Amino acid sequence: MNTKRKIAVTGCLWIIGLGVIAVIAIGLLGWFDSDNRLNQEPAAATSSRNTATVTRTDFVKETEVDGTLGFGDVESLPNLSSGIVTWLPEPGSVISFGDVIYKINDEPIILLRGAMPMFRDIDENTSSALDVAQLQTHFFELGLSDTSPVTKSTYDLSADRYVTSITLSQIEQWQESVGADTTGVVKKSQIVFRPKAFRVDAVTARLGQPVNGGSLVNVTETRRIVTVHLDTELSGLVAIGDIVEVELPDGKSVEGTVTYVADVATRIVQGQQQITYLDVVIELLGSGASFDQSPVTVKVEEVIEHEAVAVPIAALLALAEGGYGLEVLNPDNTVKLVGVELGTFHGNQVSISRGVEPGQSVIIP
């Protein structure tokens, strides 16, 4: 009797022990599964959340500076002729190479291309130099000369020594073609050498006025340009050849090319303030309409971080242990919280130097 009861009790305890072990095993399995999915959430919890894609992009900063749209600086054009003014150009007209600038005693003064000013009379016996080479180049372009001036080794007209071959016939043909007296001598007052064509900004003489040298017209560049007085602290912002955006007074925008950046700064005093700036010239690639001496805004873009791995700032999560993290949405719709290292803040984005890669999806809380 006692033996049977002992066996029954022992069997009962064994069954109870198996039940306890099963419960513990189920608990352990649940614990291991939970640890394996640390910081992850099931798909149902992520289906309604906003996400953003991690991108690779340049962070670009836009800086605005003030400029003036016009024809640039106004210059008084020197005149070496004497006599009575018999013809003058209209203000706003463009004088190109070969054109008449004005007439004195009904003799035309002609604009030709050249870097060296006309400083002497030129005839067939004038010694070779840059001024003679400039004149022969013009004759060659007109077809009056079969040869162009050359140095002993190259066609570089900036060199010091030239081989030129201007003839009396060429000079007389040219004088006849422009309506000048065919004297065979090109007087120094008859030609104005300039590196560029120009626009007549203002006429400072009048018809019938006697002149003895002096200036008769003021001239500018032929194209509208934007002039910027760039603060020296921003000197690295632009370089020759850069493309910038110019906002015109009517609100429209056109692109422009930086064609000049001064090497030497200009210093002026305004009231009690000293201002130092660099002159910058921008040529418009589009139409500047009819604006002249008008204020404009020049917008310059500067890359502050190249190929940044970027996410929205709104996706950042402050971690309890310090720093920041992102919730990354995995392809299987589970979510993993990862710590990240922040870089540059730009607008509504921030660059990430460690933690995520372009193409991944992050959750925006």
Side-chain angles (χ1 to χ4, degrees):
M1 184 70 177
N2 290 338
T3 302
K4 289 181 179 180
R5 181 178 297 176
K6 186 175 181 180
I7 293 172
V9 170
T10 302
C12 182
L13 290 174
W14 182 78
I15 293 171
I16 292 172
L18 287 177
V20 171
I21 292 171
V23 170
I24 293 173
I26 292 171
L28 286 173
L29 285 173
W31 183 84
F32 279 117
D33 184 60
S34 174
D35 184 62
N36 188 50
R37 292 180 297 164
L38 183 63
N39 293 328
Q40 296 189 4
E41 296 179 8
T46 66
S47 59
S48 62
R49 292 190 178 183
N50 293 327
T51 61
T53 302
V54 181
T55 60
R56 189 182 298 277
T57 184
D58 290 340
F59 279 180
V60 179
K61 176 184 177 182
E62 185 177 80
T63 301
E64 295 185 354
V65 293
D66 295 330
T68 302
L69 174 61
F71 290 95
D73 295 335
V74 178
E75 176 187 354
S76 295
L77 187 71
N79 166 56
L80 301 179
S81 297
S82 299
I84 304 299
V85 178
T86 54
W87 184 85
L88 289 166
E90 291 291 329
S93 58
V94 174
I95 308 297
S96 301
F97 298 124
D99 289 349
V100 177
I101 306 172
Y102 44 75
K103 292 182 180 181
I104 306 293
N105 293 338
D106 209 31
E107 283 288 308
I109 285 75
I110 309 296
L111 174 66
L112 296 183
R113 185 196 304 272
M116 177 178 283
M118 190 74 167
F119 66 94
R120 59 179 175 172
D121 296 344
I122 296 177
D123 60 24
E124 59 182 331
N125 298 314
T126 303
S127 59
S128 296
L130 180 54
D131 57 340
V132 181
Q134 291 173 168
L135 183 59
Q136 185 178 344
T137 298
H138 182 66
F139 288 173
F140 178 75
E141 291 172 348
L142 290 177
L144 300 178
S145 173
D146 294 331
T147 59
S148 61
V150 296
T151 65
K152 292 183 178 180
S153 59
T154 177
Y155 282 80
D156 181 10
L157 292 184
S158 64
D160 294 331
R161 302 186 65 181
Y162 305 89
V163 177
T164 56
S165 56
I166 286 181
T167 66
L168 175 63
S169 174
Q170 292 168 2
I171 294 175
E172 290 179 340
Q173 288 182 67
W174 174 76
Q175 288 177 325
E176 183 178 359
S177 70
V178 298
D181 292 339
T182 53
T183 62
V185 177
V186 181
K187 295 182 179 180
K188 64 181 180 181
S189 60
Q190 196 171 8
I191 287 177
V192 174
F193 280 126
R194 301 271 295 190
K196 292 182 179 180
F198 56 75
R199 166 186 168 272
V200 178
D201 182 73
V203 176
T204 57
R206 64 183 186 278
L207 289 177
Q209 177 182 338
V211 295
N212 184 19
S215 177
L216 279 63
V217 295
N218 294 336
V219 300
T220 65
E221 296 274 353
T222 58
R223 295 184 60 185
R224 285 183 174 84
I225 60 174
V226 174
T227 304
V228 175
H229 291 166
L230 186 67
D231 193 306
T232 51
E233 293 182 358
L234 301 175
S235 59
L237 192 63
V238 295
I240 293 176
D242 285 353
I243 303 297
V244 298
E245 181 182 343
V246 179
E247 185 176 318
L248 302 175
D250 60 1
K252 296 180 180 179
S253 294
V254 296
E255 288 188 334
T257 303
V258 178
T259 58
Y260 173 78
V261 178
D263 295 325
V264 180
T266 300
R267 182 173 298 173
I268 61 173
V269 177
Q270 290 184 347
Q272 296 182 343
Q273 186 179 10
Q274 183 172 278
I275 300 175
T276 306
Y277 63 85
L278 295 173
D279 280 324
V280 176
V281 175
I282 300 165
E283 286 193 7
L284 299 185
L285 300 179
S287 172
S290 58
F291 299 111
D292 189 15
Q293 298 303 309
S294 302
V296 296
T297 300
V298 179
K299 300 178 181 180
V300 183
E301 291 187 345
E302 177 186 11
V303 177
I304 57 177
E305 185 171 345
H306 185 59
E307 293 191 348
V309 176
V311 300
I313 295 175
L316 294 177
L317 295 174
L319 302 179
E321 61 271 25
Y324 291 89
L326 290 168
E327 288 184 306
V328 177
L329 180 62
N330 296 318
D332 61 358
N333 279 341
T334 58
V335 176
K336 183 176 182 180
L337 178 64
V338 297
V340 294
E341 188 172 322
L342 305 184
T344 305
F345 284 82
H346 180 66
N348 62 354
Q349 292 185 306
V350 60
S351 65
I352 305 297
S353 57
R354 180 184 59 81
V356 291
E357 296 293 334
Q360 289 184 295
S361 294
V362 294
I363 292 176
I364 301 177

